[in-house]
Amino acid sequence: MQSFSARIDFSDPDQPAGPRLRRVFGAPPQTLVAHEPAQVRPVLDAVQAAAEQGCWCVGYLRYEAAPAFDAALAVHAPEGPLAWFAVYDQALPWPEEEAHAASGFQWQDRLPRAAFDAAFNDIQRAIAAGELYQVNFTARMSGLLAQDLPGEDRAGAAPALFAALQRAQPAGYAVYLDTGEEQVLSVSPELFFDWRAGRLLTRPMKGTAPRGATPDEDAARDQGLRTSAKERAENVMIVDLLRNDLSRIAEPFSVRVPRLFHTEALPAVWQMTSDVTAQTRKDCSLADVFAALFPCGSVTGAPKVRAMQMIHALEPGARGVYCGALGVVRPVAGGIAATFNVPIRTVTLQGAALHCGVGSAITSDAQADAEWQEWRHKLAFAERARMPFELLETLALEEGRLRDLPVHLARMAAAAAHFGYPWLQTQVMSCLQALLEVHPKGMWRVRLLLNARGQAEAQAYALPVSPQRVQLELASRAIEEAHGEFVRFKTTHRAHYEAFTPTKPGVFDTVLWNAEGEITECTRGNLALLLDGRWVTPALRCGLLGGIGRANALRDGRLVEAVVRVDELPRVEALAFVNSLRGWIAADLLPG
């Protein structure tokens, strides 16, 4: 396998759905590094000169490089070079899809909720006192590569993790950069700036909403984000900040906002972006562009100087490459092009230790619970990549016939589209046909799997007769992941369900409920409840898997959707466990 020190996979800022800029780079013949603020501008000047001579330069500025442009911008002591660029004589074509060993990791620490609430309250007090309008507060999580566990090989871990992160967060402005001391794995959806032929485009990303559980709910979430006074205010504050920043290097009267409050669908969230453009002055350099814009206002707040002072007071350490700038400066016809992302959705790796930042903008009308949930939604990209997973369907094979096959395939195809897994139904059907030839008789539980490369596998296990009646127990706490994608879609990533595996003898499954106190499902199937004389099942918006058995019962009129709260359980007249494998099983709920 060929070794690469850098990869870029960038959207075209003017045509995001068009051809992508995808290049890889071997060992760099030269690197340009700044360790002190006074060295940052000269490094950027050298980068520009190299690109003007036909070279490609890939590199970063850490967030802590900010005082190189304005001494009033407060930062912590850096944990590495302030700026680092590799200079390449040529860019190589993106290679064919490579097979990488799995590269999972485990988190070692997370920001405690109490610490988050304390910082949130400090920011609210400062806003109320008129000190500022918005602060982008962040935290850093640390983790450990699974390959660092005894007996496992870490070779190729960084490229494998980058590939997993790209599958988890496709499109956008992805960069892999190996400096020798650390690897930067960024799958950022946010463009910091694109500068070419004197035209400077910035696209701040501010305003977030979670994706919906159904197409209708998803559309409603999109519309809600577009029309939210809070989210629009959050966005326009940064637009105004960037208009002011651009005016410092723009030709007179050239600053424009051609697009405002545009929403983009990412795998786990809807994000709001706006475009701010300008024509830069004839004598403007790359260092001047950074001096005017860095750090991006979307990761500081407004006004920038006071916001960064508060960030310095509240955040205990350096942000590093996270919230800095990461990108490429390259030769193009008539000059150079510089394209940098804002390194959010970014993991840095040193040996087996990794770090990942997460944050959100706090404004006067922000709510702590909502911001905390926003952090969880934004971290979904890392959870996708944290451990390899496959898409899963469990089917009943009865006397050579797969029950409800078309709807199972449709659900797996929908999951494949959501997670970006290739879907070749003919290959899946071929896999199932081979299984049917081996098991033409009897009752079997079929486990159909689809991996990230679109390869299907089917396994069959003897299916014992289902019990006539089962016992269920109520979960002792809410399932925090109720509204996450690993609940809405069926996969082999089931740690959130396994945490609720029954421990009492004779208990068949656990009844789950969300943070709002609403009943959702069991860990292996859906629920039916007889309440006020009718059979109901929890609504999808409560956070649950849309099971095939549940869908059949809804279609036949045996069930209707409803919201059932935990405190309503004493009124429930009867219960049933429902899934496509075992059908409808009467159930009793153990007293709590």
Side-chain angles (χ1 to χ4, degrees), residues 228 293 415 432 559:
S228 166
L293 300 179
L432 289 172
L559 284 174

Side-chain angles (χ1 to χ4, degrees), residues 34 219 445:
R445 175 174 64 89

Side-chain angles (χ1 to χ4, degrees), residues 411-431:
R411 188 170 70 170
M412 180 172 270
H418 176 80
F419 288 108
Y421 284 26
W423 175 253
L424 299 173
Q425 187 155 319
T426 54
Q427 194 269 337
V428 175
M429 288 300 299
S430 177
C431 170

Side-chain angles (χ1 to χ4, degrees), residues 403-448:
R403 187 190 303 158
D404 295 319
L405 177 60
V407 285
H408 278 285
L409 292 179
R411 188 170 70 170
M412 180 172 270
H418 176 80
F419 288 108
Y421 284 26
W423 175 253
L424 299 173
Q425 187 155 319
T426 54
Q427 194 269 337
V428 175
M429 288 300 299
S430 177
C431 170
L432 289 172
Q433 186 59 43
L435 185 79
L436 292 175
E437 292 172 2
V438 179
H439 301 284
K441 298 290 183 181
M443 287 290 297
W444 303 89
R445 175 174 64 89
V446 174
R447 184 177 169 88
L448 175 64

Side-chain angles (χ1 to χ4, degrees), residues 69-143:
F69 310 111
D70 185 345
L73 300 178
V75 295
H76 288 287
E79 297 177 347
L82 295 176
W84 192 100
F85 283 85
V87 181
Y88 301 97
D89 295 329
Q90 62 176 335
L92 304 175
W94 192 269
E96 295 296 322
E97 185 69 23
E98 299 170 284
H100 289 291
S103 184
F105 61 90
Q106 53 192 0
W107 294 121
Q108 301 296 302
D109 63 0
R110 295 176 184 261
L111 178 71
R113 177 61 195 266
F116 174 87
D117 287 345
F120 180 90
N121 291 334
D122 285 345
I123 294 169
Q124 289 291 344
R125 282 191 287 269
I127 293 173
E131 297 177 27
L132 33 65
Y133 307 107
Q134 181 183 139
V135 176
N136 196 78
F137 176 58
T138 77
R140 185 168 77 166
M141 297 188 303
S142 299

Side-chain angles (χ1 to χ4, degrees), residues 11-82:
S11 297
D12 182 332
D14 293 316
Q15 299 179 16
R20 298 180 63 79
L21 178 65
R22 308 182 85 199
R23 298 290 188 273
V24 299
F25 302 90
Q30 180 187 7
T31 58
L32 300 168
V33 186
H35 293 283
E36 302 293 336
Q39 298 170 335
V40 173
R41 269 186 170 270
V43 162
L44 291 173
D45 290 339
V47 166
Q48 180 170 348
E52 289 172 342
Q53 294 165 12
C55 295
W56 290 61
C57 304
V58 182
Y60 67 73
L61 267 67
R62 291 181 188 268
Y63 176 83
E64 289 72 37
F69 310 111
D70 185 345
L73 300 178
V75 295
H76 288 287
E79 297 177 347
L82 295 176

